[in-house]
Amino acid sequence: MELYIHIPFCVRKCNYCDFLSFPAGSESIESYCRALDEEICRTAEIIYEKQEDRNTGRISTIFVGGGTPSVLAPEQIRRLFFCLRQNFSISPDAEISMEANPGTLTREKLAACMEAGVNRLSIGLQSSDDALLKVLGRIHTWEQFLDNYREARKTGFQNINIDLMSSLPGQTLSGYLKTLEQVTELRPEHISSYSLILEEGTPFFDSEDIRRRLPDEAVDREMYERTKELLHERGYERYEISNYAKEGFACRHNIGYWDGVPYLGLGLGASSYYDNARFSNEISMKKYLEHPFIPFQERQDYYVTEIKDRIEDYMIFGLRKMSGVSLSRFAGEFGVSMEKIYGGVIRRYADMELLVMEGDTLRLTDAGIDVSNRIFEEFLL
Ligand code: SF4
């Protein structure tokens, strides 16, 4: 089982962001941390009450995301992990990731993370171009990122991800490639690069000027292609549509999601998949602080998945991975062959060379990845 912990605070809201995150003062952050501790304790009680053997509910990965988890004070970071370790049975080799944003990371915080057992740091950079960072509404510069990155290495972090974005307003192909080159020179173990999507309700979505300055489709395409080439040349293996890693450093937490491993989301608005049910937490901070834990079945969106949902998820999330999906695992889990359910769709896309079958594996081809959303729709039952 995996854990996701949501820290919904940011110093300032970025202009493109529609995540559940907002600025807050230190008192609000402290109240939230206390509520989160309570939710952790109550959730673990429920999980382990049903399981006599705590090993059954062993946590294989923890991902502290946001928002900006690095807005927490060192003491709050220590307390959070102390609480998690006191209450959950965490595997000794668990992958423990924490997201951080430049401009909020300090030597003390990095030391607190390391002491608490965080073994993977995910830093949001987005671009090395200060002018672009400003347009995005980010609070940091490239220099600040570099300071944080070097400090993280000095602290001993040996597994670092850097998040990047492409197709930004006013971004040129050469500007984007410069970011990629500068980042690979630092030799992080993992790089994610996502194309900007204008999300409703954000300042970017409503701005005509921003829309006008977006790179056109051909440039967007070129950025995508060159990301694959450049990262491949520099020793990064693409293991998911937008994720690249040095050998042995693919993010286990994300692979777990795509493989259908159950996960519990703790904190404001966090969603869970547990005991074949989906549910999520309250998104109103006021209500969350009043009742940090509500029994799973009493949550508004509690939904027990049907076998049909699980089959769809298996295919759609599984095909995001370059390694694809396993036919024998499908048959073992669902008691029916993949051929019986999806034979027609698979043959059609295999003929178009968008899907390929290799032994026990079905995966998208490079051309298939480019039109993956269209193909995924065909796997809805
Ligand atoms: S730092 Fe991340 S979560 Fe926070 S506002 Fe910016 S994009 Fe959103």
Side-chain angles (χ1 to χ4, degrees), residues 79-132:
R79 224 190 314 137
L80 169 64
F81 283 99
F82 180 75
C83 184
L84 286 168
R85 289 185 191 283
Q86 285 286 92
N87 289 282
F88 282 97
S89 164
I90 299 169
S91 169
D93 71 340
E95 177 192 86
I96 303 182
S97 306
M98 182 156 138
E99 285 185 330
N101 280 311
T104 59
L105 259 184
T106 60
R107 185 178 298 174
E108 292 71 28
K109 289 182 190 185
L110 285 163
C113 290
M114 181 54 80
E115 234 174 77
V118 174
N119 50 28
R120 182 174 184 275
L121 206 61
S122 178
I123 309 180
L125 165 66
Q126 319 313 347
S127 171
S128 65
D129 178 340
D130 286 345
L132 263 183

Side-chain angles (χ1 to χ4, degrees), residues 244-263:
Y244 300 79
K246 291 263 168 89
E247 200 185 335
F249 288 97
C251 176
R252 280 164 50 198
H253 184 82
N254 286 345
I255 291 179
Y257 274 142
W258 301 319
D259 277 346
V261 173
Y263 60 90

Side-chain angles (χ1 to χ4, degrees), residues 131-142:
L132 263 183
L133 291 173
K134 222 174 195 168
V135 173
L136 295 175
R138 305 285 300 178
I139 60 162
H140 57 89
T141 60
W142 164 244

Side-chain angles (χ1 to χ4, degrees), residues 9-19 21 66-68 101 126 137-138:
F9 307 113
C10 287
V11 174
R12 187 174 72 205
K13 193 81 183 159
C14 299
N15 293 330
Y16 58 92
C17 175
D18 75 335
F19 298 145
S21 68
T68 303
N101 280 311
Q126 319 313 347
R138 305 285 300 178

Side-chain angles (χ1 to χ4, degrees), residues 155-174:
T155 311
F157 284 97
Q158 294 174 353
N159 186 357
I160 299 184
N161 166 54
I162 299 178
D163 276 337
L164 299 177
M165 290 172 88
S166 63
S167 283
L168 301 173
Q171 191 176 40
T172 58
L173 177 62
S174 62

Side-chain angles (χ1 to χ4, degrees), residues 142-214:
W142 164 244
E143 268 313 311
Q144 277 173 308
F145 159 80
L146 279 179
D147 286 347
N148 287 166
Y149 182 85
R150 291 186 189 123
E151 197 60 48
R153 286 296 197 207
K154 237 193 263 168
T155 311
F157 284 97
Q158 294 174 353
N159 186 357
I160 299 184
N161 166 54
I162 299 178
D163 276 337
L164 299 177
M165 290 172 88
S166 63
S167 283
L168 301 173
Q171 191 176 40
T172 58
L173 177 62
S174 62
Y176 171 69
L177 292 177
K178 185 171 170 204
T179 292
L180 264 189
E181 274 165 16
Q182 286 176 303
V183 163
T184 50
E185 273 158 25
L186 297 170
R187 301 177 196 278
E189 285 67 30
H190 190 289
I191 296 174
S192 303
S193 183
Y194 289 88
S195 200
L196 172 74
I197 295 174
L198 297 185
E199 302 285 0
E200 231 176 309
T202 62
F204 268 16
F205 188 87
D206 298 325
S207 166
E208 270 314 311
D209 180 48
I210 289 294
R211 284 175 189 274
R212 246 195 325 272
R213 286 160 54 206
L214 289 177

